[in-house]
Every structure is written in structure tokens, then in C-alpha cells.
């Protein structure tokens, strides 16, 4: 068994992690060295060198936006973020603070304004990012605490319980459900407990294929450390570079390669969570055990409501010796759905398979550089073959991206059978280059929202789980609802909605919607768009969808909990909360516990 791996083995006092000094963009998505930037009136370049599209000039990106939104993009529409962001004085409980000072080194906590502001929001578009960039956040945390081991977490929770302080756990800050928003009725001192300094691999057991990691390690760090040992966890959510393992558990996350490795609940074998009553955990990890009630199952999707996740034991896999990408172009969405449904019944489902609609397919094309020389000639031939020879309509075709992993024989078997199945559904193989680009583009696309918002275009995503029989009902109803709401609110241009299916299951799929609306000249656009999103979520549920597939509930989707769970089920969770955290020390009030006073 190997112990104690960390990205930075030698760490000085000044090197210790602080959110305000990290590589992340302040208040926006992603890393400081990356993002979409105008390099002319209507040409865009992706900066940095971190992604496959980095350094790429995209002259078709702005024309695409103009076409799908029915607007004229104008550089002069750029919004200027509030420079001196208003920060209210911290509400301090003096006795608590004094005991914290006596119990911990001074580098474990801070009341610095920027730190407080960073830890007071997540990445939800309307009430998080738009507010912090262009308006103000009404309530902020009063102190940020950086524990470095589980004993410090325990002691800090004891002090919070003693003085009735509200604690909100913080991982990578990537949540999109307003989970970090401080409840309106919270009058106590609020402390954000940032877990990022707890980012070690505590041990690896290669024979049993298990790894024990501290909850504050990010997916990006975990991938790199395990790679050195020849292993992978295989969990790759879109936010993998930035989100933490503790956050994956707390939100019940899904990854892009779940077909091979499973969702987070399939990967985890043990969890340590420190609550006001002690540590919730199994004594040892269990491959699978009938041990009666399994308390750790309650921790998946707990969203910071009952304690702080400190460590997690995960299954690991040897890094596959073979990996191949591929892609398929289909004549229309129905052909693509037919392919996905039949694939779900086979024994050759690849690690990742994702179907994008025509609008997202065209978006992917818009993010490519214009080909030159031989590439331009080759591109024309390919386009001629698909549109003229095969008869594909550019305004209807859609695409599937495929990632296959495993032994060479496994991958070859998958590739051969996927090719046959694609042809059965009138598909044309698009090749490995397009497949890899489509998969990797996921990480860069996340930066689009913040670029668009600068030019008064608001965007958001919604995801849901839907039975196979109701896919089209949900898509049609959601699209129609957005069109109606856009008209009712008298918004500029036309609404943008596209969708993809990133996950397939035995009984259904995940549908991932992307939304966009021009809000030029609109007062309080974050309020209007937030209400639109809420109305669309209601329509999704009415037509057979779930609250969420992998983003979680937070405060954004709390109103729909009764559509998902019986009253007795809700009461069960509330009673558990009452018994385990009677003073509501963990007062984030997310999901079922969004209104604790109603209990």
C-alpha cells in the first residue's frame, strides 16, 4: 500500500492554497489563462494553451450567434463589471472568533473581503455570476476557514456548535444550483469551510484497486496523481478540472465516461463525513455488503446539509492500454435517437457516447478555424460527399461522438459493431479527429457563457433524466415553452435552445439543454431569465423529466422536490436532519432542507 501523494509535496506557509490566489478566474468559470476573446469586430480567439482549441481563431463563431439569436452582435454592447465590488462588513461573533484564534494557526482563517466574496457564490448564471459581476450579492459569508486535516474539521465544528455558527462547506465552487447562496433568513455568523487544502491521496492499494483521497482534491489533481501510478478513477464530469471529490459526492455527480466506470455512487466504497454528532462512515470499505441500512448512501446528494465530507475511498482501474475516438453523422435527430436506443441494448456500449442536435452540431462547426490549403480542399470534398452524395440536409443532420476504452480487443469489438449499427441507422462515420475534438470541446464550451454575458447575452444549461418513451415530448414542450416566454417578456431577437443526450441508461436518458437569450436593453435580466428557467423546469417535470440528472437541487430547484418524493420521504430526511444537526449548524438549506422552519 502506497501512502501520502500530493501535487505539491513541499509546501511553505506562503504557498498554502487561497481561493483568491489560485489559477481560477475570479467569479467566472475556468482558468485565468483561458477563454474566448474578441480579436476584431466579429472574430473570436480562444486564449491560452490548456485546451485543444486554444490559440484557435474562430471567424464563424459570431455569425453563428447572430444567426441563432436573430440579433446583430456589436462590440460596443460590452458590459463593464463593477470594479469596486460592494462588500458589507463581516458579522462577527467575538467569542467564537477569539476561540478560533486560540485554537488554530492564523493561516487557517481569513476575513479578507475578496475571499469572503469568492466563497459567497457558485457558478449559477443569474443570481451568482451576473450578480457578482454586474450588480452585487446581498449577503456574504463572514469568515473563510481552511482546514488541513480531519481533526481540525472536527474541532471547528465543535466550536461552531458551541457558539451556534452557520457553516457552509466549499469545494471547487463549481455548483450551478445556488447551493452556496446564504439563506435569506440566516441571521447568524456564516463561515465558509474551504476544503481545498485537504487535497492528498492518503493511500493507494493496488492489489485491491482502491484509493483513499481527501475530499478537497480536484478531479484534475486526482487524474495526474493516479496517472503516475498507472491508474484512473474514470470519473470525468464536465467540471473535472475544477470540482472536488467531496463535491462529486455531495451533488451525486455523473461523469462523461459513466458507461465504463459508473456514476459517483458506483465508484465510491466509503465516505467520511464529520457532523455535529461525530463521524459518519463505514468501519472499512466494502465491495458489496448486505449490512442493513447503509448510512453512507444518505451522503450522496447531501449538498452540505448535514456535515463536511473529509475523505472518500474510490475504486480505481488500470489505465486502459487502448483508447479510440470516433464520430457518426446522422441525417436527423430521429435517426440519432434510434441509434442510441438500440446501442443501449447491446454489449458494446463505449465509455462515452453523446448525441448532439443540429444546432449544437453547427455550433461545433462554428468553433473550428476556417481550413486553408489542402485542408480546405479536403473539407469541400467531405461536405460534398455528405450533403450531395448521401443527401444530408445541413439544417437537420446531427452527430454522435464516441470514446472507446479498454483492451485492444474490447475497443476493436466496440468499433466494429458501432460502425455496423451506425450504418443501420443511415449514419456516416465521421472519424476519430471529429470524435476527439467533439469530446474535448466540452471543457472549452463552458467558457462561452461568460463571454456571451459580457455582450448582454445570457445563457444557462438545464439537465434532466427522461424515459425513452418521453424524450421527444420533453424536448418539444420545453422548446415551445421557451418560445412563448420569450414572446411574453418581449425580449430581443429570438431564443436559443439546443440539446444533447450525453448519457444513456436501460430505461431512459439524460437530456442536457443549452439556453440563450439576448437581453440588450432589458432591465433586471437576471430576474427575468431566472423566472423563465424556473417555468421551463416545471414543464420538463410535467412531461416526465426529473429535477436534475447530475447538477443537484440546491436552492434553484427546491420547489420541485414534492414532484419527486412523497411527503413521508421528505419528512424522513427532515427528521434525520433534526436528530443529527438539531441547531442547524449546517444551514446551507439546500434541496429538501431549503425551508428548515417548515419541518
Amino acid at each position: 500500500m502506497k501512502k501520502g501523494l500530493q501535487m505539491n509535496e513541499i509546501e511553505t506557509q506562503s504557498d498554502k492554497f487561497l481561493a483568491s490566489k489560485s489559477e481560477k478566474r475570479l467569479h467566472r468559470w475556468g482558468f485565468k489563462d483561458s477563454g474566448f476573446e474578441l480579436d476584431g469586430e466579429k472574430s473570436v480567439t480562444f486564449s491560452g494553451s490548456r485546451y485543444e482549441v486554444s490559440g484557435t481563431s474562430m471567424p464563424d463563431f459570431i455569425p453563428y450567434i447572430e444567426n441563432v439569436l436573430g440579433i446583430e452582435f456589436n462590440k460596443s454592447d460590452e458590459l463593464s463589471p463593477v470594479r469596486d465590488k460592494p462588500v458589507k462588513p463581516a458579522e462577527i461573533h467575538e467569542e467564537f472568533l477569539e476561540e478560533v484564534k486560540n485554537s488554530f494557526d492564523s493561516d487557517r482563517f481569513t476575513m479578507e473581503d475578496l475571499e469572503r466574496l469568492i466563497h459567497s457564490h457558485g457558478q449559477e448564471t443569474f443570481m451568482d455570476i451576473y450578480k457578482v459581476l454586474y450588480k452585487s450579492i446581498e449577503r456574504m459569508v463572514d469568515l473563510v476557514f481552511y482546514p488541513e486535516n480531519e481533526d481540525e474539521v472536527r474541532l471547528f465544528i465543535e466550536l461552531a456548535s458551541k457558539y451556534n455558527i452557520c457553516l457552509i462547506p466549499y469545494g471547487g465552487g463549481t455548483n450551478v444550483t445556488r447551493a452556496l447562496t446564504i439563506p435569506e433568513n440566516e441571521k447568524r455568523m456564516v463561515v465558509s469551510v474551504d476544503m481545498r487544502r485537504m487535497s492528498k491521496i492518503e493511500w493507494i492499494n493496488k492489489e485491491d484497486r482502491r484509493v483513499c483521497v481527501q475530499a478537497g482534491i480536484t478531479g484534475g489533481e486526482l487524474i495526474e496523481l493516479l496517472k503516475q501510478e498507472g491508474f484512473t478513477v474514470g470519473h470525468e464530469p464536465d467540471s473535472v478540472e475544477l470540482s472536488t471529490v467531496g463535491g462529486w459526492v455531495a451533488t451525486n455527480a455523473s461523469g462523461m465516461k459513466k458507461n465504463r466506470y459508473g456514476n459517483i455512487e458506483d465508484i465510491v466504497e466509503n465516505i467520511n463525513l464529520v457532523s455535529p454528532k461525530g463521524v459518519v462512515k463505514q468501519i472499512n470499505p466494502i465491495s458489496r455488503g448486505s449490512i442493513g441500512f447503509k448510512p453512507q448512501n444518505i451522503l450522496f446528494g447531501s449538498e452540505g446539509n448535514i456535515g463536511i465530507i473529509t475523505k472518500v475511498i474510490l475504486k480505481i482501474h488500470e489505465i486502459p492500454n487502448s483508447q479510440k475516438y470516433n464520430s457518426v453523422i446522422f441525417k436527423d435527430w430521429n435517426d440519432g435517437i434510434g441509434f442510441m436506443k438500440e446501442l443501449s441494448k447491446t454489449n458494446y456500449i463505449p465509455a462515452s457516447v453523446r448525441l448532439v442536435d443540429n444546432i449544437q452540431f453547427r455550433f461545433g462547426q462554428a468553433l473550428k478555424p476556417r481550413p486553408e490549403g489542402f485542408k480546405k480542399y479536403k473539407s469541400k470534398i467531405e461536405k460534398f460527399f455528405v450533403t450531395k452524395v448521401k443527401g444530408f440536409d445541413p439544417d437537420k443532420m446531427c452527430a454522435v461522438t464516441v470514446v472507446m476504452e479498454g483492451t485492444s480487443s474490447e475497443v476493436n469489438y466496440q468499433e466494429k459493431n458501432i460502425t455496423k449499427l451506425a450504418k443501420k441507422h443511415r449514419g456516416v462515420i465521421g472519424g476519430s479527429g471529429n470524435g476527439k475534438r467533439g469530446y474535448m470541446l466540452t471543457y472549452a464550451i463552458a467558457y462561452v457563457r461568460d463571454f456571451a454575458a459580457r455582450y448582454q447575452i445570457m445563457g444557462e444549461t438545464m439537465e434532466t433524466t427522461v424515459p425513452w418513451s418521453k424524450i421527444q415530448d420533453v424536448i418539444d414542450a420545453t422548446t415551445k415553452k421557451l418560445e412563448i416566454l420569450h414572446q411574453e417578456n418581449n425580449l430581443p431577437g429570438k431564443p436559443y435552445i439546443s440539446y444533447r443526450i450525453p448519457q444513456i441508461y436501460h430505461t431512459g436518458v439524460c437530456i442536457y439543454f443549452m439556453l440563450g437569450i439576448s437581453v440588450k436593453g432589458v432591465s433586471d435580466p437576471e430576474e427575468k431569465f431566472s423566472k423563465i428557467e424556473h417555468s421551463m423546469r416545471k414543464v420538463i417535470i410535467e412531461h416526465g423529466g426529473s429535477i436534475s440528472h447530475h447538477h443537484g437541487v440546491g436552492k434553484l430547484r427546491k420547489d420541485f422536490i414534492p414532484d419527486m418524493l412523497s411527503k413521508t420521504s421528505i419528512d424522513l430526511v427532515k427528521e434525520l436532519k433534526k436528530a443529527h444537526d438539531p441547531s442547524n449548524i449546517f444551514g446551507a438549506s439546500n434541496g429538501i432542507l431549503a425551508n428548515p422552519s417548515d419541518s
Side-chain angles (χ1 to χ4, degrees), residues 22 36 92 95 108 115 180 221 240 265 270 289 305 329 339 353 391 396 409 428 458 469 502 542 566 568 576 592:
S22 72
F36 293 91
I92 299 299
E95 291 177 273
R108 299 295 198 278
E115 283 283 324
L180 296 172
E221 291 169 338
V240 64
E265 66 271 23
N270 205 357
N305 280 316
I329 301 171
F339 167 83
V353 54
K396 289 183 179 179
S409 59
V428 173
M458 297 193 85
S469 60
E542 287 173 348
S566 70
T568 305
L576 183 149
I592 288 176

Side-chain angles (χ1 to χ4, degrees), residues 10 20 37 47 50 55 65 133 154 173-174 198 219 240 248 305 313 385 420 422 444 528 561 565 587:
I10 301 174
S20 57
E37 301 291 342
S47 61
R50 191 177 295 268
I65 289 177
L133 289 177
R154 290 183 194 179
T174 58
M198 291 181 63
V240 64
W248 297 347
N305 280 316
I313 294 176
F385 175 76
K420 286 181 182 177
K528 288 186 174 65
I561 286 287
L565 299 171

Side-chain angles (χ1 to χ4, degrees), residues 460-472:
E460 188 54 289
T461 60
M462 300 190 310
E463 33 66 69
T464 184
T465 312
V466 178
W468 286 104
S469 60
K470 296 185 178 180
I471 292 173
Q472 206 56 47

Side-chain angles (χ1 to χ4, degrees), residues 192-229:
S192 175
V193 183
D194 189 313
M195 298 300 290
R196 284 287 290 109
R197 290 187 191 174
M198 291 181 63
S199 59
K200 291 180 181 177
I201 288 180
E202 294 200 350
W203 52 259
I204 298 177
N205 186 323
K206 295 184 179 180
E207 183 176 2
D208 294 340
R209 291 177 292 175
R210 286 185 175 123
V211 63
C212 178
V213 303
Q214 294 178 339
I217 193 170
T218 64
E221 291 169 338
L222 181 59
I223 287 170
E224 289 304 313
L225 288 172
L226 285 179
K227 187 186 291 183
Q228 296 170 23
E229 304 298 317

Side-chain angles (χ1 to χ4, degrees), residues 110-233:
T110 177
M111 288 179 286
E112 197 269 326
D113 285 351
L114 182 55
E115 283 283 324
R116 290 174 54 216
L117 188 58
I118 290 169
H119 288 84
S120 298
H121 68 84
Q123 286 290 326
E124 189 266 342
T125 296
F126 316 117
M127 300 304 171
D128 281 350
I129 300 305
Y130 192 87
K131 285 272 193 182
V132 74
L133 289 177
Y134 303 113
K135 291 192 174 181
S136 65
I137 289 180
E138 287 75 16
R139 177 77 195 275
M140 289 179 292
V141 301
D142 303 304
L143 182 142
V144 180
F145 181 70
Y146 287 96
E148 297 187 9
N149 55 62
E150 188 171 276
D151 287 339
E152 290 186 354
V153 173
R154 290 183 194 179
L155 176 56
F156 196 77
I157 292 173
E158 287 175 11
L159 295 180
S161 298
K162 180 179 177 180
Y163 293 103
N164 195 24
I165 305 300
C166 177
L167 304 183
I168 299 180
Y170 187 98
T174 58
N175 86 86
V176 291
T177 62
R178 299 180 198 160
L180 296 172
T181 301
I182 299 169
E184 292 179 10
N185 60 352
E186 184 55 73
K187 306 301 180 187
R188 298 172 294 178
M189 179 180 178
V190 180
V191 179
S192 175
V193 183
D194 189 313
M195 298 300 290
R196 284 287 290 109
R197 290 187 191 174
M198 291 181 63
S199 59
K200 291 180 181 177
I201 288 180
E202 294 200 350
W203 52 259
I204 298 177
N205 186 323
K206 295 184 179 180
E207 183 176 2
D208 294 340
R209 291 177 292 175
R210 286 185 175 123
V211 63
C212 178
V213 303
Q214 294 178 339
I217 193 170
T218 64
E221 291 169 338
L222 181 59
I223 287 170
E224 289 304 313
L225 288 172
L226 285 179
K227 187 186 291 183
Q228 296 170 23
E229 304 298 317
F231 284 89
T232 181
V233 168

